[in-house]
Amino acid sequence: MKLLISNIKTLVQVDEAPRKWVAGTDMANLNCIDDAYLLIEGEKITDFGKMEDMPDFDEKEGFDFVEEYDATGRMVFPSFCDSHTHLVYAGSREIEYTDKIKGLSYEEIAKRGGGILNSAKRMHEATEEELYESAMERIQEIIGLGTGAVEIKSGYGLTVADELKMLRVIKRLKKNTPLTIKSTFLGAHAVPAEYIGRQGEYVDMVINEMIPMVAAEDLADYIDVFCDKGFFTVEETDRILLAGMKYGMRAKIHANELDYSGGVQVGVKYNALSVDHLEFVGDAEIEALKGSETMPTVLPGAAFFLNMVCSPVRKMMDAGLPVALASDFNPGSSPSGNMKFIMSLACINYKMLPQEAINATTLNSAYAMGVEEELGSIAKGKIANVYITKEIPSVEYMPYAYGSNLIDVVILRGKVL
Ligand code: NIG
Ligand code: FE
């Protein structure tokens, strides 16, 4: 199947040559082509350029277009890559939302058996089928919101059986959606109630029982640990990451959300693909990240929802680092997978320019989930996951019009949905 999109007002995030990410001051530059065309053949992008240079495809032998789309007045963006979510979960947690409004902190809610342990209880009670159905609804929702790739974590199971149950759901989702999905084992998300006071034993269980079983069924691409104050220590994180890496799972960790936890440094030490949250980042963390292969990833939805301090994104970019943005879609700290809104939050709360926010939610977040070679930009040979906007005046209008759905047509793997 071939699809030609013509008369595109602006074709956004174009890569002539492959780039793994965009960093520092370059993040303010967005490669775009005005008055453009885009050719998709099968699942892949095969050609693009200015309308005036468009070959006469009708003349080309064997070029019978199944579909031609005139995008006059509209823009084409590469789909968002959402590199950090927990979108397999059972039940919402709006009671805690009210508790938060009344002034309880995230840690206080967690101490009262709320938070992650509340989701773990519901996870235990839910069947695999129920989990699959509800997660698939969320997947459909984010597809409509322009997401073309998503990473999903376990971590609401916290027992061998329930962690495997979550990961099997993710595996089924991978098979049954055009979205590109990566899965992450997050057994060390919280210490389950029955292990409180025996945290070391839980860590041993994660290492000796969970990781080998997850690997045996090939259920996870990556391994994650919530390395933070009140959750898992640097030493525990170190042991868990090392154990996961022995089974081929690269690290992607929750770090420095609640304190200067040492999480960034231990992540970099093990060549983590990304370190995520990063509300507490100072010079030492920035130094550790410099020259590394680890993508600093910021989750503005969680900081907004929990009313936390904002990660020093500008300081990181000024130091020459790349920054990625993700939704953290989960029932406790960020019940939304709307990446366009994440861009708006990044612009207003973190003072990111719209161009920086677009780079951070496409190419850089593709890197943060290990898919930058096939997704994250408009490039020949990449998978054709793109969306066509409604008529909009400028690229900046996307984060600016923060409550409007501006995504008109979604194309995943070359197919118009
Ligand atoms: O990424 N910070 C740790 N974990 C999740 C929150 C999960 C929850 O509260 O259910 C997060 O924000
Ligand atoms: Fe998270």
Side-chain angles (χ1 to χ4, degrees), residues 84-86 93 96 100 106 114-117 119 153 155-156 186 189 224 226 228 231 254-255 257-258 276-277 299 302 306 308 328-334:
H84 180 139
T85 83
H86 310 247
R93 302 205 324 242
E96 292 170 24
K100 271 194 288 273
Y106 186 65
I116 296 165
L117 296 187
S119 283
K153 300 172 194 295
Y156 290 128
L186 175 56
H189 195 193
D224 198 338
F226 189 6
D228 228 318
F231 289 84
H254 284 72
E257 176 184 5
L258 308 171
D276 301 16
H277 274 293
L299 312 172
L306 301 179
M308 288 188 296
D328 200 16
F329 195 176
N330 77 76
S333 64
S334 187

Side-chain angles (χ1 to χ4, degrees), residues 357-371:
I358 292 167
N359 278 316
T361 50
T362 56
L363 191 57
N364 285 3
S365 52
Y367 179 90
M369 60 182 290
V371 298

Side-chain angles (χ1 to χ4, degrees), residues 80 82 84 116 126 131 154 195-196 235 246-247 263 280 324 403 409:
F80 296 115
D82 191 352
H84 180 139
I116 296 165
L131 290 169
S154 72
Y195 278 92
I196 287 171
E235 188 273 329
K246 280 199 194 124
Y247 286 92
F280 292 87
V409 178

Side-chain angles (χ1 to χ4, degrees), residues 74-135:
R74 296 145 195 266
M75 299 195 179
V76 174
F77 281 70
S79 298
F80 296 115
C81 295
D82 191 352
S83 62
H84 180 139
T85 83
H86 310 247
L87 70 70
V88 172
Y89 59 82
S92 51
R93 302 205 324 242
E94 60 276 16
I95 306 289
E96 292 170 24
Y97 175 65
T98 320
D99 281 345
K100 271 194 288 273
I101 292 166
K102 288 178 185 159
L104 269 68
S105 71
Y106 186 65
E107 284 150 303
E108 283 165 340
I109 290 169
K111 280 210 178 90
R112 284 171 25 142
I116 296 165
L117 296 187
N118 186 359
S119 283
K121 193 164 158 279
R122 294 179 186 203
M123 174 62 59
H124 182 66
E125 288 157 4
T127 65
E128 204 175 302
E129 199 51 39
E130 287 165 348
L131 290 169
Y132 176 80
E133 293 297 328
S134 61

